[in-house]
Amino acid sequence: MKCPVCLEKVQSYHSMASHFLSEDEKSDPGHVMFLNRYISRNRIEQEQLSDNLERFFHMDNGFRNWIIRTFVNRFFGDSPHPFILENQHPKPYIIRGYAMEHHHFLWQWVRSCSYIIGNSDNDDVVQYEIENITSEWYGTNDSPSHHELLLRMGEAYGLNRKDILNSIPLPATESAKEFWSYACKNLSWQEGMSAMHSLELIANRKVLEYGGKFGYFDPSVMKSSEIREEAKEFLKEGYLADVSHSERALIIIERHSDLEMLQNCQAVFMKSIEYFYDYLLARIERGYILENKQ
Amino acid sequence: MREVIYLKTNNETGCGLCDATWGKYYKDIDGDNMVFCCSICADIFEEMVRRVKENTGWKSIDYVELHGNYSRGRECTARNGDDTFSYYFRTYSDGKFITFEKR
């Protein structure tokens, strides 16, 4: 297994607890924040920390359910992500910020999927990722790509396609891209898939069934005139596609991994969602910048 | 002789910003050697104090009441003598401010 903060190899939850306590002595921000957010706000000693870490990572209903539960708690739980709150009834500035930052996300996305293919000798993985790259970036004769729908959404809200394509990602988006590139290029295909495809749960229609307080957006926006048709087309595509995308990926990982690999995938997933958290904040910041709200 | 004014917060058990009792990172804030859980919380607190002073024109702050967390952002009230200033802020996980607004 690996540390969910620095990905250092550890032998057991006991040694993971020792590692965290050693980093705590140095007041290392990443390790302290993990403990604070996921384990306990108050300092606990080795034995209890070891038990709490084991409880946190225990996959009582399998890997897929653990990933879904942890993701839903982080983004749709008692303190939902600010972008989720804003996206319930998205204002024009949020949609503009979304369009510009998400271009960079998708640019990285297809490269990450390609690295995963390169690291895998499994045909299910290759087929899955090729379908994914096609639908996200290239499209088919029958349907435009998700990226094309994103650009159309941005244009409908006054952005210039060229400006989106030539924009420089905000620092949080750039850091996230760097991590996703590193993870998919250098780690196993299972860890790369865990880093990327778990993120598609963000638009999963079943989030409310999984215990989320909110969905990705309030479905009533699809029937009202509060957002433009281009925004509806974009949101609809992700909303319809991502259930099979994200859950199918998690099933493939689980089918082709032993326990140790799944534990490594948990660590990479935890690190990935921290980058994703800040990337979603960057959509809001970009919206502010485009609106001159800062 | 310089008068040392101690900045207090409602977080009395742990980190001056988030109240966690992990870590121990000291930083001088307005002459007070305050304790935080990590350098990021310390930097956020320092920047928050700077922005409060910039908004109010105060030379120092006596007390800050903080409510919220990293996800929700933080609703705060700062006090200087009889004056108060209420505000809200949110940061990235590296401490960079996204929002700071008067409430």
Side-chain angles (χ1 to χ4, degrees):
Chain A
M1 62 181 74
K2 291 178 177 177
C3 167
V5 179
C6 62
L7 302 184
E8 185 176 306
K9 280 205 167 203
V10 289
Q11 297 305 316
S12 63
Y13 289 111
H14 189 81
S15 57
M16 189 188 284
S18 301
H19 168 71
F20 267 104
L21 290 174
S22 157
E23 294 298 319
D24 171 61
E25 284 296 311
K26 295 182 261 179
S27 302
D28 176 75
H31 291 83
V32 166
M33 274 191 253
F34 181 91
L35 292 168
N36 196 8
R37 281 178 198 158
Y38 294 107
I39 304 299
S40 163
R41 204 160 70 154
N42 292 318
R43 194 176 196 287
I44 47 180
E45 297 306 321
Q46 167 101 29
E47 287 309 313
Q48 199 189 342
L49 178 56
S50 174
D51 289 348
N52 287 11
L53 285 166
E54 187 163 1
R55 200 173 307 126
F56 178 80
F57 285 109
H58 184 59
M59 294 180 269
D60 37 1
N61 290 309
F63 173 74
R64 177 168 60 129
N65 283 322
W66 183 87
I67 293 276
I68 291 171
R69 190 184 72 225
T70 308
F71 189 93
V72 168
N73 282 342
R74 184 78 175 106
F75 292 91
F76 299 96
D78 290 334
S79 291
H81 191 286
F83 179 82
I84 298 301
L85 296 176
E86 297 270 7
N87 204 43
Q88 294 305 301
H89 293 270
K91 294 194 168 61
Y93 84 92
I94 282 292
I95 293 178
R96 289 187 198 109
Y98 191 164
M100 194 167 271
E101 283 316 284
H102 200 53
H103 156 67
H104 300 290
F105 178 95
L106 290 177
W107 186 95
Q108 179 56 48
W109 182 267
V110 292
R111 281 155 184 80
S112 289
C113 293
S114 305
Y115 286 136
I116 292 167
I117 292 174
N119 282 336
S120 169
D121 56 2
N122 184 298
D123 287 342
D124 289 348
V125 174
V126 175
Q127 184 189 356
Y128 177 78
E129 296 298 0
I130 288 173
E131 284 171 14
N132 207 312
I133 291 168
T134 305
S135 64
E136 293 295 341
W137 196 262
Y138 293 104
T140 63
N141 289 336
D142 301 327
S143 56
S145 69
H146 209 197
H147 182 246
E148 172 60 26
L149 293 175
L150 178 82
L151 294 173
R152 289 179 192 172
M153 177 173 81
E155 287 175 318
Y157 280 81
L159 295 179
N160 186 308
R161 178 176 289 245
K162 239 182 180 173
D163 290 343
I164 298 174
L165 297 175
N166 293 333
S167 63
I168 294 169
L170 288 174
T173 306
E174 185 60 39
S175 297
K177 281 177 62 187
E178 282 170 16
F179 171 72
W180 292 322
S181 179
Y182 162 80
C184 296
K185 197 173 181 178
N186 298 301
L187 303 179
S188 65
W189 66 261
Q190 291 96 328
E191 290 165 295
M193 280 186 102
S194 302
M196 303 312 296
H197 295 294
S198 58
L199 308 181
E200 290 180 292
L201 291 166
I202 197 76
N204 191 310
R205 286 196 308 283
K206 286 157 79 179
V207 156
L208 292 173
E209 282 176 43
Y210 293 144
K213 310 268 185 221
F214 296 89
Y216 191 44
F217 54 85
D218 184 334
S220 71
V221 300
M222 288 298 186
K223 294 179 190 137
S224 76
S225 58
E226 65 184 286
I227 62 170
R228 293 174 200 242
E229 286 307 312
E230 291 84 350
K232 288 178 188 173
E233 283 300 309
F234 173 77
L235 288 173
K236 188 177 74 186
E237 275 297 302
Y239 195 58
L240 294 177
D242 285 343
V243 169
S244 56
H245 266 321
S246 54
E247 297 201 19
R248 203 174 123 209
L250 299 176
I251 290 166
I252 292 173
I253 297 164
E254 194 158 18
R255 190 182 296 151
H256 297 286
S257 303
D258 58 16
L259 178 62
E260 189 183 351
M261 178 59 80
L262 292 179
Q263 288 171 331
N264 291 346
C265 289
Q266 286 179 298
V268 176
F269 159 79
M270 290 308 299
K271 202 162 168 64
S272 182
I273 62 172
E274 292 311 306
Y275 282 104
F276 189 59
Y277 198 100
D278 275 359
Y279 157 69
L280 292 182
L281 289 177
R283 289 183 185 174
I284 300 176
E285 186 187 5
R286 179 68 81 178
Y288 286 160
I289 291 169
L290 292 169
E291 199 79 353
N292 288 322
K293 281 185 77 163
Q294 277 189 324
Chain B
M1 198 171 87
R2 188 169 76 93
E3 184 188 4
V4 177
I5 299 164
Y6 292 100
L7 200 173
K8 290 189 170 54
T9 78
N10 56 316
N11 294 327
E12 289 173 353
T13 52
C15 171
L17 184 78
C18 71
D19 212 23
T21 56
W22 296 103
K24 198 156 271 187
Y25 183 90
Y26 291 94
K27 188 156 197 167
D28 185 292
I29 309 280
D30 268 6
D32 188 7
N33 197 24
M34 288 185 71
V35 66
F36 300 94
C37 64
C38 67
S39 59
I40 291 177
C41 276
D43 291 346
I44 292 171
F45 196 91
E46 185 177 45
E47 176 64 8
M48 178 196 80
V49 165
R50 190 192 71 73
R51 290 186 185 220
V52 169
K53 286 180 175 175
E54 185 180 83
N55 274 267
T56 58
W58 298 345
K59 291 273 186 293
S60 63
I61 300 169
D62 298 333
Y63 182 81
V64 183
E65 179 97 14
L66 302 108
H67 296 285
N69 57 31
Y70 165 66
S71 300
R72 288 205 298 272
R74 298 179 199 276
E75 296 274 358
C76 310
T77 301
R79 210 171 59 214
N80 176 38
D82 293 335
D83 294 335
T84 60
F85 176 71
S86 295
Y87 56 98
Y88 168 85
F89 72 92
R90 177 185 291 150
T91 69
Y92 283 106
S93 54
D94 67 359
K96 185 190 167 207
F97 275 63
I98 304 172
T99 313
F100 182 94
E101 54 196 32
K102 189 179 172 185
R103 285 282 166 95

